mmCIF file of all heavy atoms in Angstrom:
data_model
loop_
_atom_site.group_PDB
_atom_site.id
_atom_site.type_symbol
_atom_site.label_atom_id
_atom_site.label_comp_id
_atom_site.label_asym_id
_atom_site.label_seq_id
_atom_site.Cartn_x
_atom_site.Cartn_y
_atom_site.Cartn_z
ATOM 1 N N CYS A 29 6.720 22.490 13.675
ATOM 2 C CA CYS A 29 7.012 23.517 14.471
ATOM 3 C C CYS A 29 6.649 23.213 15.930
ATOM 4 O O CYS A 29 5.718 22.722 16.298
ATOM 5 C CB CYS A 29 6.058 24.816 14.105
ATOM 6 S SG CYS A 29 6.491 25.306 12.454
ATOM 7 N N GLY A 30 7.620 23.472 16.875
ATOM 8 C CA GLY A 30 7.540 23.153 18.231
ATOM 9 C C GLY A 30 7.116 24.241 19.103
ATOM 10 O O GLY A 30 6.633 25.263 18.671
ATOM 11 N N PRO A 31 7.177 24.012 20.451
ATOM 12 C CA PRO A 31 6.564 24.897 21.432
ATOM 13 C C PRO A 31 7.327 26.229 21.658
ATOM 14 O O PRO A 31 8.496 26.182 21.455
ATOM 15 C CB PRO A 31 6.468 24.084 22.660
ATOM 16 C CG PRO A 31 7.690 23.164 22.595
ATOM 17 C CD PRO A 31 7.755 22.853 21.117
ATOM 18 N N THR A 32 6.645 27.273 22.021
ATOM 19 C CA THR A 32 7.398 28.524 22.621
ATOM 20 C C THR A 32 7.272 28.184 24.124
ATOM 21 O O THR A 32 6.244 28.017 24.672
ATOM 22 C CB THR A 32 6.542 29.601 22.411
ATOM 23 O OG1 THR A 32 6.359 29.810 20.914
ATOM 24 C CG2 THR A 32 7.259 30.969 22.888
ATOM 25 N N HIS A 38 -0.777 22.947 27.087
ATOM 26 C CA HIS A 38 -2.033 22.419 27.262
ATOM 27 C C HIS A 38 -2.332 21.343 26.188
ATOM 28 O O HIS A 38 -1.438 21.081 25.384
ATOM 29 C CB HIS A 38 -3.176 23.462 27.055
ATOM 30 C CG HIS A 38 -3.303 24.164 25.824
ATOM 31 N ND1 HIS A 38 -3.686 23.432 24.751
ATOM 32 C CD2 HIS A 38 -3.078 25.476 25.480
ATOM 33 C CE1 HIS A 38 -3.743 24.407 23.693
ATOM 34 N NE2 HIS A 38 -3.369 25.554 24.213
ATOM 35 N N GLY A 40 -4.313 20.678 23.892
ATOM 36 C CA GLY A 40 -4.270 21.093 22.487
ATOM 37 C C GLY A 40 -2.944 21.225 21.912
ATOM 38 O O GLY A 40 -2.668 20.779 20.704
ATOM 39 N N ASN A 41 -1.929 21.813 22.685
ATOM 40 C CA ASN A 41 -0.717 21.847 22.174
ATOM 41 C C ASN A 41 0.114 20.472 21.904
ATOM 42 O O ASN A 41 1.029 20.375 21.209
ATOM 43 C CB ASN A 41 0.269 22.675 23.181
ATOM 44 C CG ASN A 41 -0.133 24.046 23.393
ATOM 45 O OD1 ASN A 41 -0.162 24.494 24.640
ATOM 46 N ND2 ASN A 41 -0.407 24.723 22.437
ATOM 47 N N ARG A 43 -1.446 17.970 20.621
ATOM 48 C CA ARG A 43 -1.920 17.286 19.371
ATOM 49 C C ARG A 43 -0.902 17.195 18.193
ATOM 50 O O ARG A 43 -0.807 16.059 17.642
ATOM 51 C CB ARG A 43 -3.381 17.918 18.956
ATOM 52 C CG ARG A 43 -4.202 17.002 18.133
ATOM 53 C CD ARG A 43 -5.489 17.583 17.842
ATOM 54 N NE ARG A 43 -6.371 16.576 16.980
ATOM 55 C CZ ARG A 43 -7.290 16.830 16.386
ATOM 56 N NH1 ARG A 43 -7.917 18.063 16.433
ATOM 57 N NH2 ARG A 43 -8.004 15.981 15.620
ATOM 58 N N PRO A 44 -0.306 18.247 18.055
ATOM 59 C CA PRO A 44 0.649 18.133 16.847
ATOM 60 C C PRO A 44 1.749 17.094 17.212
ATOM 61 O O PRO A 44 2.011 16.306 16.343
ATOM 62 C CB PRO A 44 1.262 19.541 16.745
ATOM 63 C CG PRO A 44 0.247 20.491 17.395
ATOM 64 C CD PRO A 44 -0.439 19.733 18.400
ATOM 65 N N GLY A 231 2.365 21.178 11.465
ATOM 66 C CA GLY A 231 2.080 21.967 12.599
ATOM 67 C C GLY A 231 0.530 22.046 12.746
ATOM 68 O O GLY A 231 -0.258 21.555 11.911
ATOM 69 N N GLY A 232 0.052 22.821 13.683
ATOM 70 C CA GLY A 232 -1.255 23.112 13.897
ATOM 71 C C GLY A 232 -1.878 24.053 12.682
ATOM 72 O O GLY A 232 -1.150 24.770 12.152
ATOM 73 N N VAL A 233 -3.140 23.817 12.462
ATOM 74 C CA VAL A 233 -3.800 24.593 11.366
ATOM 75 C C VAL A 233 -3.555 26.092 11.505
ATOM 76 O O VAL A 233 -3.557 26.846 10.384
ATOM 77 C CB VAL A 233 -5.327 24.244 11.227
ATOM 78 C CG1 VAL A 233 -6.099 24.641 12.432
ATOM 79 C CG2 VAL A 233 -5.900 24.725 9.952
ATOM 80 N N ASP A 234 -3.498 26.611 12.735
ATOM 81 C CA ASP A 234 -3.310 28.111 12.860
ATOM 82 C C ASP A 234 -2.013 28.595 12.377
ATOM 83 O O ASP A 234 -1.817 29.764 12.234
ATOM 84 C CB ASP A 234 -3.626 28.405 14.384
ATOM 85 C CG ASP A 234 -2.704 27.640 15.329
ATOM 86 O OD1 ASP A 234 -2.434 26.493 14.907
ATOM 87 O OD2 ASP A 234 -2.364 28.186 16.397
ATOM 88 N N LEU A 235 -1.092 27.642 12.166
ATOM 89 C CA LEU A 235 0.161 28.047 11.736
ATOM 90 C C LEU A 235 0.319 28.206 10.165
ATOM 91 O O LEU A 235 1.239 28.806 9.739
ATOM 92 C CB LEU A 235 1.176 27.047 12.183
ATOM 93 C CG LEU A 235 1.446 26.954 13.700
ATOM 94 C CD1 LEU A 235 2.807 25.935 13.963
ATOM 95 C CD2 LEU A 235 1.645 28.094 14.357
ATOM 96 N N ASN A 262 -2.732 19.914 11.570
ATOM 97 C CA ASN A 262 -3.734 19.204 12.463
ATOM 98 C C ASN A 262 -4.922 20.266 12.783
ATOM 99 O O ASN A 262 -4.597 21.446 12.942
ATOM 100 C CB ASN A 262 -3.121 18.606 13.528
ATOM 101 C CG ASN A 262 -2.515 19.692 14.670
ATOM 102 O OD1 ASN A 262 -1.251 20.022 14.472
ATOM 103 N ND2 ASN A 262 -3.289 20.149 15.665
ATOM 104 N N GLY A 263 -6.054 19.818 13.032
ATOM 105 C CA GLY A 263 -7.187 20.565 13.377
ATOM 106 C C GLY A 263 -7.113 20.979 14.941
ATOM 107 O O GLY A 263 -6.279 20.447 15.597
ATOM 108 N N PHE A 264 -8.041 21.734 15.337
ATOM 109 C CA PHE A 264 -7.976 22.219 16.697
ATOM 110 C C PHE A 264 -8.608 21.097 17.728
ATOM 111 O O PHE A 264 -9.497 20.447 17.329
ATOM 112 C CB PHE A 264 -8.689 23.468 16.948
ATOM 113 C CG PHE A 264 -7.874 24.790 16.378
ATOM 114 C CD1 PHE A 264 -8.640 25.672 15.613
ATOM 115 C CD2 PHE A 264 -6.676 24.812 16.694
ATOM 116 C CE1 PHE A 264 -7.955 26.675 15.095
ATOM 117 C CE2 PHE A 264 -5.929 25.949 16.171
ATOM 118 C CZ PHE A 264 -6.650 26.894 15.410
ATOM 119 N N LEU A 265 -8.176 21.174 18.916
ATOM 120 C CA LEU A 265 -8.739 20.503 19.974
ATOM 121 C C LEU A 265 -9.604 21.649 20.697
ATOM 122 O O LEU A 265 -9.163 22.697 20.986
ATOM 123 C CB LEU A 265 -7.681 19.991 21.028
ATOM 124 C CG LEU A 265 -8.255 19.140 22.076
ATOM 125 C CD1 LEU A 265 -7.534 17.753 21.860
ATOM 126 C CD2 LEU A 265 -7.799 19.723 23.316
ATOM 127 N N LYS A 271 -11.991 26.595 20.633
ATOM 128 C CA LYS A 271 -10.547 26.204 20.510
ATOM 129 C C LYS A 271 -10.067 26.326 21.873
ATOM 130 O O LYS A 271 -10.093 27.378 22.564
ATOM 131 C CB LYS A 271 -9.955 27.092 19.545
ATOM 132 C CG LYS A 271 -8.380 26.755 19.488
ATOM 133 C CD LYS A 271 -7.587 27.911 18.823
ATOM 134 C CE LYS A 271 -6.107 27.650 18.965
ATOM 135 N NZ LYS A 271 -5.281 28.745 18.597
ATOM 136 N N MET A 272 -9.316 25.230 22.371
ATOM 137 C CA MET A 272 -8.652 25.341 23.624
ATOM 138 C C MET A 272 -7.362 26.336 23.364
ATOM 139 O O MET A 272 -6.581 26.196 22.629
ATOM 140 C CB MET A 272 -7.989 23.910 24.076
ATOM 141 C CG MET A 272 -7.322 23.958 25.494
ATOM 142 S SD MET A 272 -6.688 22.296 26.020
ATOM 143 C CE MET A 272 -8.227 21.644 26.455
HETATM 144 P P1 AMP B 1 1.242 27.858 20.586
HETATM 145 O O1 AMP B 1 1.927 27.638 21.945
HETATM 146 O O2 AMP B 1 -0.048 28.611 20.557
HETATM 147 O O3 AMP B 1 2.318 28.571 19.605
HETATM 148 O O4 AMP B 1 0.909 26.458 19.962
HETATM 149 C C1 AMP B 1 1.926 25.390 19.754
HETATM 150 C C2 AMP B 1 1.373 24.384 18.846
HETATM 151 O O5 AMP B 1 0.236 23.936 19.272
HETATM 152 C C3 AMP B 1 1.047 24.975 17.519
HETATM 153 O O6 AMP B 1 1.466 23.957 16.481
HETATM 154 C C4 AMP B 1 -0.388 25.282 17.377
HETATM 155 O O7 AMP B 1 -0.952 25.119 16.256
HETATM 156 C C5 AMP B 1 -0.961 23.943 18.258
HETATM 157 N N1 AMP B 1 -2.087 24.308 19.081
HETATM 158 C C6 AMP B 1 -2.344 25.428 19.900
HETATM 159 N N2 AMP B 1 -3.606 25.283 20.289
HETATM 160 C C7 AMP B 1 -4.172 24.177 19.714
HETATM 161 C C8 AMP B 1 -5.396 23.451 19.923
HETATM 162 N N3 AMP B 1 -6.434 24.052 20.640
HETATM 163 N N4 AMP B 1 -5.709 22.493 19.110
HETATM 164 C C9 AMP B 1 -4.631 21.841 18.421
HETATM 165 N N5 AMP B 1 -3.535 22.437 18.256
HETATM 166 C C10 AMP B 1 -3.216 23.616 18.943
#
Side-chain angles (χ1 to χ4, degrees):
C29 299
T32 304
H38 62 66
N41 298 134
R43 200 172 184 194
V233 65
D234 53 335
L235 300 188
N262 65 271
F264 285 138
L265 187 118
K271 175 198 172 186
M272 183 177 285

